[in-house]
Amino acid sequence: MKKYRVLHIFSSFSMGGAERTTLFLASNLQKTAECDNIVAAPFGSKLYEESLQKNIKTVAFKAANAFDPSGILQLLKIVNQNNINILHVHQGKLFWTSLIIKLFSRNLKVVFHRRQDTRHGFVSKNHYRFVDAVITVSQAVANGLIKYEKVNPNKIKVIYNGVNVEKFSGNIDFSSVIKEYNLQDKIVVGVVANIVDFNGKGQIYLMEAAKILRDQYSNLRYLIVGSGKGLEEQRAYAKKLEVDDIIYFTGFQNQAQEFVAAMDIFCLPAWDTEGMPNVVVEAEVLGKPVIVTNVGGNPESFVDGTTGIMVEPSNPLQIAYAIKKLIDNPELAKQMGVEGEKFVKKKFVIEKTVADTLEVYGKIINL
C-alpha cells in the first residue's frame, strides 16, 4: 500500500495551542499504516524538540514571512529530498509559501489548516483559490471562510482537534497549586489563556465579575493562568478594581492541567474571536463545569445548559451570574462536569480526528 508522505510545517518558536495540536495530530497519524510524517519547524524551537522526543522525523525550517526567499528554498529542498506528496500547512503566514512550492512540485498537494476565525486581506484571501483542501477546527471558522473569503465549500472539511484524553483525565496531582496560592477550603474560578494585550482573552471581564461577587462570597478565589504583553496591565487593572488580593496571576505554566484541575469552575471569557478553544475541551475532560462566551467556535466546544453556561462577550454581569448559579447549585455544577467529560470523549477523540484527516488526504491524492 502506498503511503501518504506528509510534511507538517510551522515556523514559530513558541509552543501554543496550535503547535501542540499539530504535534499531537502528527504523532497519532504516524501510528497509522497509511501515513509517514515529517515535522518541519525552526531548529531549537519547542515544536522541533518535542517532535524529536516523540520519534517523529523532524527537519529544521524557518521562514520570516510568506515570501522569504530563504524559507522558500529550504522548504523546496525538504519537499524534494523527502518525496513529499502532501504539504500540511498549520500556520497562516506560510500559506503562500506552500503554494509557491507547489508550482515547482508537480504532484504535490497542499492542505491549509485554519484555526482562527479572522479575516484575511484581499491578497491573502486569494490563496484559497489554489489550495487543494482546507481543514477548519470548527464550523464557525468554515462559515467565515465561505461568507467573507468566498472559499469553495467543497474544499473545506471541519475536523475538530482531538484531545489528549490521557493527559487531561485521571488523578492529576494539583496539591502544589493549592498550597502555593493558599486555596484550601476555597472556591476557585479560573482561566487559562494568553494575555497578548490588555483585553487578552477577556480576563478583564472575569476580574470585573470578581468585583461584583466579592461581598457575596468571601471564600471565592481566581486563577489567571497565562502570560503575554498585557500581563502587567491586567495586574494593574486588578489592583484598580481592588480585587488583586483574591486574583492570582500565575504566568505561563507548562503543566497547565494541574491548575485547571485545581479549579472548581473554568471560565473562558473570550470577547473578540475564537476558532476552537482547546482549553475548554480540556477543562471538560477534567470534569469542570465551564462558562464560555458566545464567540466564534466557542459554542461548539460545549453544550449550553448541559456541560456549562453560555454568556455574551464583554459582559461581566452575566459572568458573575453564571458563577453564582454554579456556586449556589453544587449538584448542577457536578452534573455539568460529568456531562462535559462524556461530551468530549464522544466528540473530540483523536481517533476521529486522524480518520477525518486521512479522508482529506485520500480525497485530494485521488482527484
Side-chain angles (χ1 to χ4, degrees), residues 189 202-210 212-213 222 267-270 291-293 309 311-325:
V189 180
Q203 292 95 334
I204 58 172
Y205 304 113
L206 180 58
M207 294 182 214
E208 291 171 1
I212 294 170
L213 294 172
Y222 303 82
C267 179
L268 184 68
I291 300 170
V292 186
T293 49
I309 300 173
V311 297
E312 292 305 311
S314 309
N315 196 319
L317 191 61
Q318 285 193 13
I319 294 172
Y321 178 78
I323 293 172
K324 179 177 172 57
K325 183 174 181 178

Side-chain angles (χ1 to χ4, degrees), residues 88-236:
H88 195 144
V89 192
H90 295 267
Q91 189 177 20
K93 82 170 187 178
L94 299 175
F95 284 177
W96 274 118
T97 310
S98 64
L99 293 177
I100 293 170
I101 302 303
K102 188 180 180 184
L103 290 174
F104 297 98
S105 303
R106 182 177 177 183
N107 296 318
L108 183 68
K109 302 296 183 180
V110 177
V111 177
F112 291 167
H113 210 123
R114 195 81 169 96
R115 291 182 168 84
Q116 295 179 315
D117 184 31
T118 53
R119 308 282 79 82
H120 275 119
F122 175 76
V123 174
S124 294
K125 71 173 62 175
N126 278 293
H127 47 42
Y128 293 107
R129 295 171 53 195
F130 308 105
V131 72
D132 296 288
V134 181
I135 293 173
T136 66
V137 296
S138 67
Q139 189 61 52
V141 174
N143 293 343
L145 291 179
I146 294 167
K147 181 177 180 179
Y148 298 106
E149 307 196 24
K150 311 304 178 186
V151 180
N152 182 348
N154 294 325
K155 287 186 175 183
I156 299 174
K157 174 74 171 178
V158 177
I159 303 178
Y160 294 120
N161 293 325
V163 66
N164 190 341
V165 174
E166 293 181 2
K167 180 179 179 181
F168 291 95
S169 59
N171 296 317
I172 295 177
D173 183 5
F174 55 89
S175 58
S176 61
V177 177
I178 298 296
K179 183 178 179 180
E180 181 175 357
Y181 296 97
N182 296 314
L183 299 175
Q184 299 88 348
D185 302 319
K186 300 294 191 294
I187 299 170
V188 183
V189 180
V191 56
V192 178
N194 290 330
I195 310 175
V196 295
D197 53 25
F198 173 64
N199 286 319
K201 287 287 186 178
Q203 292 95 334
I204 58 172
Y205 304 113
L206 180 58
M207 294 182 214
E208 291 171 1
K211 184 173 180 63
I212 294 170
L213 294 172
R214 154 147 230 158
D215 294 335
Q216 297 181 51
Y217 303 98
S218 60
N219 63 336
L220 189 52
R221 298 293 184 269
Y222 303 82
L223 289 174
I224 295 183
V225 183
S227 189
K229 293 181 179 179
L231 176 57
E232 293 309 314
E233 280 188 280
Q234 288 198 359
R235 285 185 190 274

